[in-house]
Amino acid sequence: ISLLQIGVKRLFFGISANFVKVTMTPSTMEAWSITMNVNAGVPMKVGVLISPNVALMDLFGAHAVFGMVDNVELHIIWKNKTLLQGSPLFPIAATTTFEECPPLDVLIVGAVPPEVIADEDVIGFIAKQATYDPYLIGICGGVLLLGAAGLLRNRAATTNLHLLDTLPALGARVIAGGHVEKDGKLYTAGPATGGFEAALMVLAQLRGEETAKLLELTIEYHPRPPFGVGTPELAGPLLTAQTKEI
């Protein structure tokens, strides 16, 4: 077996199936096992809401974080299980319908088209799940969908720079800056890195900080943007004006 094959086996079987038990040495296994198994007897139920033309960038980071943790029920959720096209073009399908979805511990919502934000079935599903008091992760335009369900009223929230001015109409206290904004169990952020970071923060709440730290290192999450212009403050007014026209 080549070194490449060994590496792939370690990645997909060691990490994805149960990354802690495989990667820990015997001398540290017992201590880490205690940390990892906080609430691990009960599966964590995590839902990722999809739709036609959902912004996949908003979902993949959080999906990866929770999908690599042991004892998680991961539900990809939509009205039906028909094959959809995400945005940019990428085929996706739900594993769980609205009717099948159990009460969730975490619900992840990314940017969706306006017709989805106005869809009463979608809003009703989110509002129903909110009654179970899950952690809510809204990324980019997904924050607007949480707002449409009435979940931003009197809450601090952020989103991507193109949509910040829409939040007051949803009752939110607007926070700019490009970071993850936490208000109780509501976590909101802009696109790209926001999904990873919000998910790691919620994971720390549910399974302990050491678990989240280990996963952050395991996926080597350490953003180093090549141009350093990922916020309006860094980009300057000219480039910021250009992206707002997109």
Side-chain angles (χ1 to χ4, degrees):
I1 300 176
S2 70
L3 290 177
L4 176 60
Q5 289 173 312
I6 293 172
V8 170
K9 284 188 175 183
R10 285 177 178 171
L11 178 62
F12 287 100
F13 294 99
I15 296 174
S16 298
N18 194 337
F19 71 93
V20 171
K21 291 182 180 177
V22 173
T23 55
M24 291 296 96
T25 62
S27 61
T28 59
M29 176 65 74
E30 183 175 356
W32 277 102
S33 179
I34 293 171
T35 300
M36 282 299 297
N37 287 309
V38 174
N39 298 324
V42 178
M44 185 196 309
K45 296 178 176 63
V46 178
V48 180
L49 182 69
I50 64 171
S51 77
N53 295 309
V54 64
L56 296 171
M57 174 175 60
D58 298 346
L59 304 179
F60 281 166
H63 173 273
V65 167
F66 288 110
M68 293 178 69
V69 178
D70 193 27
N71 203 21
V72 169
E73 288 182 15
L74 194 57
H75 298 274
I76 312 301
I77 307 164
W78 182 237
K79 297 180 182 184
N80 53 58
K81 298 178 182 178
T82 303
L83 187 67
L84 307 173
Q85 294 294 344
S87 179
L89 186 63
F90 196 97
I92 52 174
T95 61
T96 306
T97 66
F98 290 171
E99 291 77 16
E100 295 170 343
C101 189
L104 297 171
D105 299 302
V106 183
L107 175 60
I108 302 159
V109 182
V112 294
E115 59 269 24
V116 177
I117 294 177
D119 189 311
E120 292 184 1
D121 291 338
V122 177
I123 293 172
F125 169 75
I126 293 174
K128 179 180 178 181
Q129 284 294 327
T131 65
Y132 303 122
D133 194 31
Y135 285 86
L136 298 170
I137 297 178
I139 304 299
C140 189
V143 180
L144 305 188
L145 185 52
L146 295 178
L151 302 176
L152 298 185
R153 296 190 190 103
N154 301 315
R155 310 287 293 276
T158 192
T159 182
N160 71 317
L161 64 94
H162 303 81
L163 299 173
L164 281 171
D165 60 357
T166 66
L167 294 183
L170 298 170
R173 291 183 285 111
V174 182
I175 308 295
H179 60 283
V180 178
E181 181 63 26
K182 176 182 179 294
D183 187 327
K185 296 173 78 171
L186 172 68
Y187 290 69
T188 56
T193 58
F196 282 102
E197 292 171 6
L200 287 166
M201 292 167 69
V202 171
L203 179 62
Q205 295 295 315
L206 289 169
R207 289 285 173 85
E209 188 172 301
E210 293 305 320
T211 300
K213 285 181 178 179
L214 181 59
L215 184 53
E216 180 178 307
L217 175 59
T218 300
I219 64 176
E220 298 186 52
Y221 181 75
H222 181 55
R224 285 168 283 186
F227 305 110
V229 294
T231 69
E233 295 76 16
L234 293 171
L238 180 59
L239 195 59
T240 298
Q242 290 176 344
T243 190
K244 285 187 174 181
E245 293 176 359
I246 296 175

